[in-house]
Amino acid sequence: MVDYDPDWPRKASTAADALRTAAPGLFVALEHIGSTAVPGLAAKPVIDLMAAVPALADVGPHEPALAALGFLPHDNGMTDRLLYVRAEAGVRSHILHVVTRDSWPTRNQRLLRDHLRAHPEEAARYAALKRSLVAAGTPARDYSRAKTALVQELTDRARAERGLPPEPVGEKGPK
């Protein structure tokens, strides 16, 4: 966990531009998500990107181009998206979440990011929880689960603001 780095948006933009260039026409949308996309929010220094494609099967032919940029497939058990992880010197630097165009407008990660940007007091609550978990020595394997209740509360608010019903965030909430 580190303090917000004002260079994170530039890093996200650079990676997004490289992805668009490497796989022209694949992504119908591509955005910076997660805690590094919320100004002022402390985070693990990993840039999360979310991209929309017409269908997940469309990505396969582009995997060599993604790999050339260091984005390698990663299976974490989620069936509603594809994940690609980029590591530098063995340390994760970027995660690319690829989802369908149809699911794009209601993706919890995007909605929560926008909610935290619009509600700095909520972002501060989230940051305080994250810092307390790190200070308490919460093991990495338990960190996401320990944030789930607050992430669910904030995501429910974000969805309600858009007239959407609640949807479980599970243990794989935003970082």
Side-chain angles (χ1 to χ4, degrees):
M1 182 73 53
V2 299
D3 288 336
Y4 179 78
D5 183 341
D7 197 38
W8 286 337
R10 184 200 59 78
K11 289 180 178 180
S13 179
T14 298
D17 289 346
L19 286 162
R20 285 186 195 99
T21 299
L26 175 62
F27 305 117
V28 295
L30 181 56
E31 294 181 355
H32 185 194
I33 62 166
S35 293
T36 61
V38 180
L41 187 58
K44 290 186 267 181
V46 177
I47 304 296
D48 280 284
L49 301 168
M50 183 170 274
V53 295
L56 295 180
D58 296 340
V59 182
H62 297 276
E63 283 188 343
L66 300 180
L69 295 176
F71 286 93
L72 303 177
H74 177 75
D75 180 14
N76 75 347
M78 291 188 282
T79 58
D80 66 336
R81 74 188 77 189
L82 300 173
L83 285 180
Y84 297 86
V85 175
R86 181 166 132 186
E88 296 171 1
V91 177
R92 274 187 188 184
S93 63
H94 297 72
I95 300 174
L96 172 63
H97 306 249
V98 181
V99 302
T100 62
R101 173 180 40 214
D102 292 343
S103 71
W104 180 259
T106 59
R107 281 290 171 171
N108 284 337
Q109 297 87 347
R110 295 181 63 245
L111 300 176
L112 179 59
R113 175 208 54 205
D114 294 348
H115 180 81
L116 293 174
R117 285 176 171 173
H119 300 278
E121 70 287 355
E122 301 276 41
R125 276 182 67 208
Y126 187 39
L129 172 63
K130 290 168 34 156
R131 287 189 183 282
S132 71
L133 292 171
V134 171
T138 304
R141 68 183 178 278
D142 299 330
Y143 176 79
S144 289
R145 185 176 15 254
K147 298 184 311 177
T148 299
L150 181 57
V151 169
Q152 185 70 61
E153 174 191 332
L154 297 173
T155 301
D156 287 350
R157 281 197 195 124
R159 293 180 68 81
E161 287 173 352
R162 289 170 175 78
L164 298 170
E167 181 178 277
V169 297
E171 293 178 18
K172 296 288 183 183
K175 286 172 206 42

